[in-house]
Amino acid sequence: MKLFEGLSRYRPQALGVLRIMTALQFIEHGSQKLFNFPISADPHALTGLTTTAAILEFAGGILLALGLFTRPVAFLLAGEMAIAYFMAHYPRDFFPANNGGDAAISFCFIFLYLVFAGAGAFALDNRSKA
């Protein structure tokens, strides 16, 4: 449609905003596990696996928000979310709406998209190599 054709020129900015907003939500998941912030009614016990996930979420989210090492970090985080889905959510129920795995699936596929699409605008990855 002609109405939407002009929006294509804003694709890098839209991708950058998607990356930043997704990263900020991911940082929140990591900080809740590590620091109980934002405060949770059910704080996570930091086992080895939970600590690893929390560090990946917090540090990986910061790197993605900055747009630094976007593709390799996004690849790592997509894998983490796939593992999280199949270890923590899928055993509860087949359907994501019933097993609480909606966010894990969404994060997984957004990160996978970033592996292929790159960082978009507003990223430190875009600095010129002088």
Side-chain angles (χ1 to χ4, degrees), residues 2-103:
K2 200 166 196 116
L3 174 66
F4 296 110
E5 288 175 12
L7 295 176
S8 294
R9 66 180 157 187
Y10 299 108
R11 191 174 305 157
Q13 291 83 1
L15 178 57
V17 170
L18 174 69
R19 173 184 48 79
I20 291 166
M21 294 309 299
T22 303
L24 292 175
Q25 290 178 49
F26 210 58
I27 291 167
E28 187 176 353
H29 283 274
S31 71
Q32 192 172 51
K33 287 181 184 82
L34 288 172
F35 314 117
N36 196 29
F37 181 81
I39 295 172
S40 172
D42 185 28
H44 296 294
L46 288 179
T47 63
L49 193 58
T50 307
T51 302
T52 302
I55 291 169
L56 283 172
E57 291 165 9
F58 189 71
I62 290 171
L63 289 171
L64 280 186
L66 296 172
L68 189 59
F69 309 116
T70 300
R71 290 176 194 254
V73 169
F75 182 76
L76 183 68
L77 297 181
E80 181 211 354
M81 287 293 95
I83 291 167
Y85 179 77
F86 285 108
M87 283 184 73
H89 300 285
Y90 182 76
R92 293 184 202 160
D93 192 283
F94 177 78
F95 297 101
N98 293 337
N99 68 25
D102 303 60

XYZ file of all heavy atoms in Angstrom, residues 2-103:
783
model
N 0.485 2.188 -0.763
C 1.256 3.408 -0.914
C 1.424 4.146 0.422
O 2.456 4.759 0.674
C 0.585 4.308 -1.940
C 1.499 5.322 -2.514
C 0.896 5.938 -3.748
C 1.985 6.638 -4.488
N 2.312 6.160 -5.766
N 0.422 4.054 1.285
C 0.465 4.729 2.581
C 1.665 4.277 3.410
O 2.297 5.067 4.104
C -0.839 4.457 3.337
C -0.922 4.970 4.774
C -0.887 6.499 4.783
C -2.179 4.476 5.429
N 2.028 3.002 3.337
C 3.079 2.443 4.174
C 4.433 2.361 3.479
O 5.432 2.067 4.137
C 2.670 1.062 4.682
C 1.473 1.101 5.581
C 0.261 0.584 5.164
C 1.560 1.675 6.844
C -0.846 0.627 5.996
C 0.455 1.718 7.677
C -0.747 1.199 7.250
N 4.507 2.580 2.160
C 5.762 2.456 1.436
C 6.812 3.441 1.935
O 8.000 3.128 1.978
C 5.536 2.633 -0.059
C 4.822 1.454 -0.689
C 4.485 1.687 -2.150
O 4.984 2.648 -2.753
O 3.697 0.881 -2.673
N 6.408 4.616 2.331
C 7.347 5.627 2.809
C 7.975 5.283 4.150
O 8.997 5.851 4.533
N 7.370 4.348 4.872
C 7.900 3.970 6.183
C 9.176 3.147 6.082
O 9.921 3.040 7.056
C 6.843 3.199 6.973
C 5.587 3.980 7.353
C 4.587 3.067 8.041
C 5.939 5.157 8.235
N 9.451 2.563 4.926
C 10.629 1.712 4.756
C 11.922 2.448 5.076
O 12.879 1.837 5.537
C 10.701 1.175 3.331
O 9.634 0.304 3.092
N 11.957 3.733 4.835
C 13.197 4.473 5.099
C 13.510 4.572 6.590
O 14.621 4.890 6.977
C 13.133 5.850 4.464
C 12.102 6.745 5.068
C 12.080 8.089 4.423
N 10.777 8.682 4.643
C 10.371 9.782 4.113
N 11.142 10.430 3.286
N 9.183 10.241 4.375
N 12.533 4.269 7.441
C 12.746 4.308 8.886
C 13.047 2.931 9.475
O 13.052 2.762 10.685
C 11.520 4.914 9.586
C 11.234 6.323 9.149
C 10.144 6.610 8.345
C 12.081 7.361 9.529
C 9.892 7.906 7.926
C 11.837 8.659 9.109
C 10.746 8.922 8.310
O 10.504 10.202 7.895
N 13.289 1.951 8.621
C 13.549 0.588 9.070
C 14.719 0.507 10.056
O 14.602 -0.149 11.094
C 13.776 -0.317 7.867
C 13.783 -1.783 8.219
C 13.865 -2.659 6.995
N 12.782 -2.338 6.075
C 12.816 -2.583 4.776
N 13.842 -3.166 4.233
N 11.792 -2.255 4.010
N 15.862 1.145 9.800
C 16.965 1.064 10.773
C 16.599 1.637 12.140
O 16.978 1.083 13.175
C 18.095 1.869 10.122
C 17.768 1.903 8.669
C 16.267 1.865 8.585
N 15.852 2.734 12.158
C 15.451 3.332 13.429
C 14.456 2.431 14.164
O 14.548 2.268 15.382
C 14.841 4.722 13.202
C 15.838 5.760 12.749
C 16.105 5.744 11.250
O 15.539 4.956 10.499
N 16.991 6.617 10.802
N 13.509 1.849 13.436
C 12.535 0.949 14.057
C 13.239 -0.283 14.621
O 12.921 -0.736 15.729
C 11.461 0.541 13.047
N 14.219 -0.815 13.900
C 14.980 -1.963 14.388
C 15.768 -1.579 15.635
O 15.820 -2.339 16.605
C 15.922 -2.480 13.291
C 16.822 -3.645 13.660
C 16.031 -4.855 14.137
C 17.702 -4.007 12.461
N 16.349 -0.390 15.642
C 17.084 0.076 16.822
C 16.183 0.217 18.037
O 16.556 -0.180 19.150
N 15.000 0.743 17.839
C 14.044 0.886 18.948
C 13.591 -0.488 19.443
O 13.497 -0.717 20.655
C 12.841 1.770 18.535
C 11.739 1.722 19.569
C 13.301 3.206 18.299
N 13.329 -1.420 18.522
C 12.958 -2.789 18.914
C 14.074 -3.407 19.753
O 13.820 -3.999 20.807
C 12.693 -3.651 17.683
C 12.443 -5.139 17.952
C 11.113 -5.336 18.672
C 12.479 -5.933 16.656
N 15.328 -3.262 19.311
C 16.471 -3.814 20.042
C 16.584 -3.207 21.429
O 16.726 -3.924 22.424
C 17.765 -3.554 19.249
C 19.022 -3.933 20.001
C 20.292 -3.566 19.229
N 20.329 -2.229 18.685
C 20.615 -1.127 19.388
N 20.889 -1.203 20.672
N 20.639 0.050 18.798
N 16.488 -1.897 21.528
C 16.654 -1.211 22.814
C 15.528 -1.566 23.779
O 15.776 -1.891 24.943
C 16.737 0.315 22.599
C 18.050 0.665 21.888
C 16.631 1.070 23.923
C 18.104 2.083 21.332
N 14.293 -1.519 23.325
C 13.162 -1.804 24.218
C 13.154 -3.265 24.668
O 12.863 -3.560 25.827
C 11.834 -1.438 23.554
C 11.682 0.057 23.309
S 12.012 1.076 24.773
C 10.771 0.509 25.894
N 13.508 -4.177 23.769
C 13.587 -5.584 24.143
C 14.703 -5.779 25.160
O 14.534 -6.497 26.155
C 13.829 -6.464 22.901
O 12.775 -6.230 21.959
C 13.881 -7.937 23.263
N 15.837 -5.128 24.939
C 16.972 -5.239 25.863
C 16.615 -4.691 27.243
O 16.982 -5.288 28.258
C 18.182 -4.502 25.290
N 15.906 -3.581 27.305
C 15.526 -3.013 28.602
C 14.612 -3.968 29.378
O 14.762 -4.115 30.594
C 14.853 -1.646 28.415
C 15.775 -0.529 27.915
C 14.971 0.738 27.651
C 16.911 -0.268 28.885
N 13.702 -4.623 28.680
C 12.852 -5.608 29.356
C 13.676 -6.797 29.828
O 13.439 -7.342 30.903
C 11.758 -6.101 28.404
C 10.719 -5.054 28.087
C 9.705 -5.605 27.111
O 9.174 -6.687 27.304
N 9.451 -4.857 26.050
N 14.672 -7.186 29.032
C 15.509 -8.328 29.380
C 16.391 -8.010 30.582
O 16.582 -8.852 31.466
C 16.345 -8.724 28.163
C 16.676 -10.180 28.107
C 15.689 -11.140 28.093
C 17.986 -10.596 28.056
C 15.988 -12.488 28.030
C 18.301 -11.940 27.999
C 17.300 -12.886 27.987
N 16.910 -6.790 30.630
C 17.708 -6.345 31.785
C 16.869 -6.457 33.056
O 17.354 -6.879 34.103
C 18.202 -4.889 31.589
C 19.240 -4.827 30.480
C 18.767 -4.327 32.889
C 19.547 -3.405 30.011
N 15.613 -6.097 32.953
C 14.706 -6.156 34.106
C 14.580 -7.584 34.639
O 14.571 -7.802 35.850
C 13.341 -5.601 33.712
C 12.381 -5.457 34.842
C 11.080 -4.815 34.405
O 10.964 -4.359 33.261
O 10.159 -4.793 35.239
N 14.499 -8.559 33.732
C 14.424 -9.958 34.167
C 15.701 -10.364 34.895
O 15.647 -11.045 35.927
C 14.178 -10.889 32.978
C 12.772 -10.881 32.493
N 11.799 -11.678 33.032
C 12.176 -10.150 31.523
C 10.654 -11.444 32.407
N 10.856 -10.525 31.492
N 16.841 -9.942 34.378
C 18.112 -10.264 35.024
C 18.280 -9.573 36.360
O 18.719 -10.182 37.339
N 17.920 -8.289 36.427
C 18.079 -7.558 37.690
C 17.117 -8.062 38.757
O 17.424 -8.039 39.942
C 17.894 -6.045 37.478
O 16.551 -5.721 37.218
N 15.972 -8.572 38.332
C 15.033 -9.132 39.307
C 15.603 -10.409 39.914
O 15.469 -10.643 41.111
C 13.678 -9.394 38.655
C 12.592 -9.704 39.653
C 11.230 -9.762 39.007
O 11.053 -10.459 38.009
N 10.283 -9.023 39.564
N 16.264 -11.212 39.098
C 16.877 -12.432 39.625
C 18.086 -12.110 40.506
O 18.270 -12.704 41.567
C 17.314 -13.334 38.473
C 16.192 -14.023 37.744
C 16.745 -14.907 36.625
C 15.644 -15.529 35.809
N 15.116 -14.628 34.777
N 18.932 -11.176 40.050
C 20.173 -10.873 40.769
C 19.967 -10.019 42.016
O 20.575 -10.264 43.051
C 21.161 -10.152 39.845
C 21.818 -10.975 38.751
C 22.600 -10.068 37.816
C 22.724 -12.038 39.353
N 19.124 -8.983 41.889
C 19.013 -7.967 42.945
C 17.612 -7.840 43.539
O 17.375 -6.953 44.353
C 19.438 -6.596 42.396
C 20.706 -6.628 41.606
C 20.704 -6.299 40.256
C 21.910 -6.988 42.192
C 21.877 -6.313 39.513
C 23.081 -7.008 41.461
C 23.068 -6.675 40.117
N 16.684 -8.691 43.066
C 15.274 -8.580 43.432
C 14.752 -7.160 43.183
O 14.014 -6.598 43.982
C 15.010 -9.015 44.872
C 13.528 -9.278 45.116
O 12.802 -9.655 44.203
N 13.083 -9.063 46.334
N 15.167 -6.601 42.037
C 14.662 -5.304 41.613
C 14.282 -5.392 40.149
O 15.124 -5.755 39.335
C 15.688 -4.192 41.805
C 15.129 -2.861 41.384
C 14.310 -2.156 42.237
C 15.391 -2.353 40.120
C 13.762 -0.945 41.832
C 14.854 -1.155 39.718
C 14.044 -0.449 40.570
N 13.065 -5.066 39.798
C 11.987 -4.650 40.679
C 11.584 -5.776 41.632
O 11.712 -6.948 41.318
C 10.848 -4.287 39.736
C 11.197 -4.887 38.425
C 12.655 -5.131 38.399
N 11.092 -5.358 42.776
C 10.778 -6.299 43.853
C 9.749 -7.312 43.365
O 8.735 -6.957 42.772
C 10.282 -5.552 45.102
C 11.413 -4.693 45.661
C 9.768 -6.528 46.153
C 11.005 -3.771 46.780
N 10.030 -8.573 43.647
C 9.160 -9.675 43.249
C 8.519 -10.298 44.482
O 9.160 -10.429 45.522
C 9.984 -10.735 42.512
O 9.220 -11.888 42.279
N 7.277 -10.691 44.351
C 6.602 -11.386 45.445
C 7.206 -12.773 45.652
O 7.125 -13.342 46.725
C 5.112 -11.506 45.153
N 7.838 -13.298 44.601
C 8.439 -14.631 44.642
C 9.890 -14.537 44.163
O 10.182 -14.860 43.016
C 7.631 -15.586 43.754
C 8.113 -17.019 43.827
O 8.668 -17.399 44.874
O 7.941 -17.743 42.830
N 10.832 -14.065 45.021
C 12.227 -13.917 44.591
C 12.835 -15.251 44.171
O 12.489 -16.302 44.699
C 12.941 -13.375 45.835
C 11.875 -12.926 46.757
C 10.634 -13.678 46.398
N 13.720 -15.187 43.191
C 14.376 -16.389 42.680
C 15.505 -16.816 43.616
O 16.279 -15.995 44.087
C 14.964 -16.127 41.296
C 13.941 -15.827 40.258
N 13.014 -16.747 39.843
C 13.684 -14.706 39.554
C 12.242 -16.209 38.917
N 12.629 -14.963 38.731
N 15.598 -18.110 43.854
C 16.751 -18.653 44.566
C 17.878 -18.764 43.545
O 17.691 -19.274 42.451
C 16.416 -20.030 45.130
N 19.042 -18.238 43.886
C 20.142 -18.226 42.931
C 20.931 -19.532 42.978
O 21.890 -19.678 43.721
C 21.059 -17.027 43.192
C 20.492 -15.678 42.803
C 21.461 -14.566 43.126
C 20.126 -15.636 41.331
N 20.490 -20.479 42.165
C 21.242 -21.708 41.965
C 22.262 -21.436 40.863
O 22.281 -20.344 40.289
C 20.301 -22.848 41.527
O 19.730 -22.489 40.261
C 19.201 -23.084 42.540
N 23.060 -22.401 40.525
C 24.046 -22.217 39.460
C 23.411 -21.848 38.140
O 23.849 -20.924 37.452
N 22.344 -22.558 37.778
C 21.674 -22.309 36.511
C 20.958 -20.963 36.510
O 21.024 -20.211 35.534
C 20.689 -23.446 36.224
C 20.119 -23.519 34.821
C 21.212 -23.638 33.788
C 19.165 -24.696 34.714
N 20.299 -20.636 37.605
C 19.591 -19.354 37.697
C 20.573 -18.189 37.692
O 20.316 -17.158 37.074
C 18.729 -19.302 38.972
O 17.883 -20.441 39.003
C 17.870 -18.059 39.003
N 21.702 -18.341 38.368
C 22.720 -17.292 38.378
C 23.277 -17.071 36.983
O 23.452 -15.926 36.548
C 23.852 -17.639 39.356
O 23.296 -17.826 40.659
C 24.901 -16.554 39.401
N 23.535 -18.152 36.271
C 24.030 -18.040 34.895
C 23.014 -17.307 34.027
O 23.371 -16.397 33.276
C 24.322 -19.441 34.315
O 25.278 -20.089 35.150
C 24.850 -19.354 32.899
N 21.746 -17.698 34.142
C 20.693 -17.043 33.363
C 20.594 -15.564 33.729
O 20.478 -14.708 32.845
C 19.358 -17.736 33.597
N 20.667 -15.255 35.017
C 20.550 -13.863 35.470
C 21.689 -13.009 34.927
O 21.464 -11.875 34.483
C 20.521 -13.820 36.994
N 22.899 -13.538 34.948
C 24.055 -12.790 34.431
C 23.925 -12.587 32.929
O 24.180 -11.481 32.421
C 25.372 -13.503 34.805
C 25.587 -13.412 36.311
C 26.552 -12.917 34.045
C 26.700 -14.305 36.846
N 23.512 -13.634 32.216
C 23.309 -13.497 30.772
C 22.239 -12.452 30.471
O 22.401 -11.616 29.566
C 22.905 -14.835 30.162
C 24.003 -15.861 29.958
C 23.421 -17.205 29.541
C 25.003 -15.375 28.922
N 21.161 -12.471 31.222
C 20.067 -11.532 30.989
C 20.483 -10.103 31.310
O 20.191 -9.183 30.541
C 18.836 -11.943 31.796
C 18.219 -13.225 31.288
C 17.244 -13.871 32.244
O 16.886 -13.250 33.271
O 16.829 -15.018 31.968
N 21.163 -9.920 32.429
C 21.546 -8.578 32.841
C 22.659 -8.016 31.944
O 22.509 -6.960 31.335
C 21.976 -8.584 34.311
C 22.185 -7.221 34.900
C 21.103 -6.401 35.156
C 23.458 -6.762 35.190
C 21.287 -5.132 35.704
C 23.649 -5.502 35.740
C 22.564 -4.680 35.989
N 23.766 -8.742 31.844
C 24.902 -8.260 31.051
C 24.580 -8.259 29.561
O 24.896 -7.301 28.846
C 26.128 -9.112 31.337
N 23.936 -9.339 29.091
C 23.562 -9.401 27.682
C 22.568 -8.321 27.312
O 22.651 -7.727 26.235
N 21.639 -8.048 28.214
C 20.671 -6.977 27.969
C 21.341 -5.622 27.863
O 20.992 -4.809 27.003
N 22.327 -5.371 28.721
C 23.059 -4.096 28.658
C 23.804 -3.981 27.325
O 23.753 -2.934 26.664
C 24.021 -3.960 29.857
C 23.222 -3.749 31.141
C 25.012 -2.813 29.638
C 24.044 -3.815 32.412
N 24.487 -5.056 26.932
C 25.208 -5.032 25.652
C 24.255 -4.801 24.481
O 24.562 -4.015 23.569
C 25.998 -6.322 25.457
C 27.221 -6.489 26.351
C 27.798 -7.895 26.213
C 28.280 -5.440 26.030
N 23.097 -5.444 24.510
C 22.127 -5.237 23.430
C 21.555 -3.825 23.445
O 21.351 -3.226 22.391
C 20.989 -6.244 23.516
C 21.259 -7.629 22.967
C 19.984 -8.472 22.998
C 21.806 -7.586 21.563
N 21.280 -3.294 24.627
C 20.756 -1.923 24.709
C 21.749 -0.936 24.109
O 21.352 0.015 23.427
C 20.441 -1.555 26.153
N 23.032 -1.182 24.348
C 24.070 -0.321 23.788
C 24.328 -0.612 22.309
O 24.939 0.196 21.609
C 25.379 -0.496 24.566
C 25.357 -0.069 26.028
C 26.648 -0.485 26.720
C 25.141 1.441 26.130
N 23.885 -1.769 21.862
C 24.152 -2.165 20.485
C 25.612 -2.550 20.302
O 26.220 -2.264 19.277
N 26.170 -3.217 21.292
C 27.576 -3.607 21.263
C 27.667 -5.129 21.161
O 27.104 -5.840 21.990
C 28.263 -3.111 22.534
C 29.771 -3.218 22.613
C 30.435 -2.429 21.481
C 30.258 -2.684 23.960
N 28.364 -5.618 20.139
C 28.458 -7.065 19.861
C 27.062 -7.663 19.675
O 26.767 -8.759 20.147
C 29.218 -7.805 20.967
C 30.542 -7.207 21.320
C 30.765 -6.680 22.580
C 31.560 -7.161 20.383
C 31.982 -6.123 22.911
C 32.793 -6.602 20.700
C 33.012 -6.082 21.970
N 26.209 -6.933 18.984
C 24.792 -7.291 18.886
C 24.555 -8.701 18.370
O 23.819 -9.469 18.990
C 24.039 -6.278 18.005
O 24.176 -4.985 18.600
C 22.572 -6.632 17.876
N 25.149 -9.052 17.262
C 24.850 -10.360 16.661
C 25.292 -11.527 17.536
O 24.484 -12.434 17.784
C 25.454 -10.453 15.264
C 24.743 -9.542 14.266
C 25.430 -9.587 12.906
N 25.012 -8.521 12.048
C 24.205 -8.668 11.005
N 23.712 -9.849 10.711
N 23.887 -7.634 10.267
N 26.541 -11.575 18.020
C 26.904 -12.722 18.868
C 26.142 -12.760 20.191
O 25.761 -13.837 20.669
C 28.409 -12.569 19.090
C 28.759 -11.202 18.657
C 27.692 -10.732 17.731
N 25.889 -11.598 20.791
C 25.140 -11.568 22.048
C 23.705 -12.030 21.808
O 23.161 -12.832 22.579
C 25.179 -10.153 22.687
C 24.197 -10.041 23.840
C 26.586 -9.818 23.150
N 23.096 -11.559 20.738
C 21.729 -11.970 20.417
C 21.661 -13.470 20.165
O 20.698 -14.133 20.577
C 21.206 -11.195 19.209
N 22.676 -14.043 19.519
C 22.714 -15.485 19.274
C 22.754 -16.253 20.593
O 22.008 -17.215 20.797
C 23.932 -15.835 18.402
C 24.033 -17.289 18.067
C 23.217 -17.854 17.101
C 24.952 -18.091 18.716
C 23.310 -19.201 16.787
C 25.055 -19.440 18.406
C 24.235 -19.991 17.442
N 23.605 -15.799 21.505
C 23.722 -16.432 22.820
C 22.407 -16.340 23.600
O 21.944 -17.323 24.183
C 24.853 -15.768 23.600
C 25.187 -16.319 24.967
C 25.779 -17.717 24.839
C 26.183 -15.395 25.664
N 21.786 -15.166 23.581
C 20.545 -14.970 24.332
C 19.369 -15.719 23.706
O 18.479 -16.186 24.433
C 20.235 -13.480 24.463
C 21.274 -12.664 25.241
C 20.857 -11.203 25.319
C 21.521 -13.238 26.621
N 19.342 -15.852 22.388
C 18.294 -16.651 21.741
C 18.394 -18.096 22.217
O 17.382 -18.737 22.529
C 18.408 -16.574 20.218
N 19.613 -18.593 22.301
C 19.819 -19.950 22.809
C 19.401 -20.092 24.252
O 18.770 -21.090 24.637
N 19.741 -19.082 25.062
C 19.332 -19.121 26.470
C 17.819 -19.189 26.596
O 17.279 -19.958 27.401
C 19.848 -17.890 27.222
C 19.458 -17.913 28.681
C 19.246 -16.551 29.319
O 19.513 -15.518 28.678
O 18.785 -16.527 30.476
N 17.115 -18.409 25.792
C 15.659 -18.390 25.876
C 15.041 -19.685 25.356
O 14.024 -20.148 25.886
C 15.086 -17.191 25.112
C 15.313 -15.872 25.823
S 14.391 -15.761 27.381
C 15.601 -16.296 28.568
N 15.654 -20.306 24.361
C 15.161 -21.605 23.891
C 15.327 -22.648 24.998
O 14.404 -23.424 25.282
C 15.915 -22.031 22.632
N 16.479 -22.638 25.643
C 16.718 -23.569 26.752
C 15.748 -23.283 27.896
O 15.162 -24.206 28.469
C 18.183 -23.478 27.225
C 19.106 -24.047 26.152
C 18.381 -24.200 28.555
C 20.577 -23.740 26.373
N 15.565 -22.001 28.226
C 14.637 -21.638 29.305
C 13.228 -22.135 29.002
O 12.544 -22.657 29.884
C 14.624 -20.122 29.506
N 12.808 -21.983 27.746
C 11.461 -22.427 27.395
C 11.321 -23.929 27.592
O 10.377 -24.392 28.234
C 11.099 -22.047 25.955
C 9.715 -22.526 25.617
C 8.605 -21.832 26.078
C 9.507 -23.705 24.917
C 7.322 -22.292 25.831
C 8.234 -24.172 24.666
C 7.146 -23.463 25.120
O 5.876 -23.923 24.888
N 12.253 -24.696 27.050
C 12.100 -26.153 27.097
C 12.398 -26.744 28.466
O 11.877 -27.802 28.803
C 12.938 -26.820 26.004
C 12.316 -26.654 24.649
C 12.879 -25.798 23.717
C 11.140 -27.303 24.320
C 12.292 -25.619 22.472
C 10.545 -27.131 23.083
C 11.124 -26.284 22.156
N 13.198 -26.068 29.293
C 13.472 -26.582 30.640
C 12.430 -26.148 31.664
O 12.044 -26.927 32.524
C 14.854 -26.120 31.115
C 15.993 -26.894 30.500
S 17.582 -26.403 31.172
C 17.471 -27.132 32.797
N 11.986 -24.889 31.576
C 11.131 -24.342 32.633
C 9.657 -24.264 32.260
O 8.795 -24.365 33.134
C 11.625 -22.951 33.019
N 9.343 -24.065 30.995
C 7.953 -23.813 30.616
C 7.274 -25.011 29.954
O 6.174 -25.393 30.349
C 7.870 -22.589 29.699
C 8.381 -21.346 30.350
N 7.670 -20.662 31.302
C 9.551 -20.678 30.213
C 8.369 -19.619 31.715
N 9.521 -19.614 31.075
N 7.920 -25.572 28.955
C 7.313 -26.670 28.206
C 6.875 -27.847 29.077
O 5.798 -28.402 28.842
C 8.272 -27.131 27.103
C 7.715 -28.230 26.251
C 6.766 -27.946 25.280
C 8.120 -29.547 26.418
C 6.238 -28.955 24.490
C 7.602 -30.563 25.641
C 6.662 -30.255 24.673
O 6.132 -31.259 23.908
N 7.651 -28.234 30.101
C 7.197 -29.365 30.932
C 5.875 -29.105 31.675
O 5.180 -30.048 32.034
C 8.338 -29.554 31.938
C 9.531 -29.003 31.255
C 9.019 -27.847 30.444
N 5.520 -27.852 31.890
C 4.273 -27.527 32.594
C 3.036 -27.806 31.749
O 1.999 -28.216 32.269
C 4.252 -26.052 32.992
C 5.274 -25.675 34.018
C 5.082 -24.215 34.390
N 6.324 -23.697 34.942
C 6.620 -22.421 35.018
N 5.768 -21.511 34.600
N 7.762 -22.039 35.523
N 3.126 -27.484 30.442
C 1.983 -27.627 29.554
C 2.484 -27.435 28.131
O 3.483 -26.763 27.904
C 0.921 -26.560 29.890
C -0.412 -26.823 29.218
O -0.525 -26.547 28.009
O -1.337 -27.305 29.894
N 1.778 -27.993 27.160
C 2.157 -27.862 25.761
C 1.969 -26.432 25.249
O 2.769 -25.939 24.461
C 1.340 -28.838 24.903
C 1.604 -28.717 23.435
C 2.742 -29.271 22.880
C 0.719 -28.049 22.608
C 2.996 -29.154 21.525
C 0.956 -27.926 21.249
C 2.106 -28.491 20.706
N 0.924 -25.759 25.691
C 0.556 -24.455 25.145
C 1.243 -23.309 25.897
O 1.127 -23.208 27.119
C -0.964 -24.261 25.198
C -1.703 -25.259 24.354
C -2.315 -26.356 24.929
C -1.762 -25.100 22.985
C -2.986 -27.277 24.158
C -2.430 -26.018 22.190
C -3.046 -27.120 22.776
N 1.934 -22.413 25.175
C 2.617 -21.292 25.824
C 1.700 -20.398 26.652
O 2.115 -19.868 27.677
C 3.218 -20.508 24.656
C 3.381 -21.528 23.582
C 2.225 -22.468 23.744
N 0.453 -20.248 26.239
C -0.482 -19.429 27.015
C -0.751 -20.048 28.382
O -1.071 -19.344 29.339
C -1.788 -19.244 26.256
N -0.613 -21.355 28.491
C -0.852 -22.049 29.751
C 0.416 -22.270 30.573
O 0.332 -22.451 31.782
C -1.501 -23.412 29.501
C -2.896 -23.293 28.952
O -3.555 -22.278 29.123
N -3.362 -24.323 28.277
N 1.577 -22.303 29.912
C 2.804 -22.628 30.642
C 3.653 -21.414 31.004
O 4.719 -21.558 31.588
C 3.634 -23.675 29.885
C 4.225 -23.173 28.588
O 4.450 -21.993 28.392
N 4.498 -24.103 27.685
N 3.193 -20.205 30.657
C 3.926 -18.990 30.997
C 5.151 -18.742 30.138
O 5.987 -17.911 30.473
N 5.249 -19.425 29.023
C 6.442 -19.308 28.186
C 6.348 -18.298 27.061
O 7.256 -18.219 26.231
N 5.302 -17.501 27.031
C 5.138 -16.522 25.954
C 6.344 -15.598 25.826
O 6.848 -15.367 24.719
C 3.894 -15.651 26.188
C 2.627 -16.447 26.323
O 2.553 -17.273 27.249
O 1.715 -16.228 25.519
N 6.793 -15.058 26.945
C 7.921 -14.111 26.910
C 9.191 -14.798 26.431
O 9.937 -14.230 25.628
C 8.134 -13.487 28.285
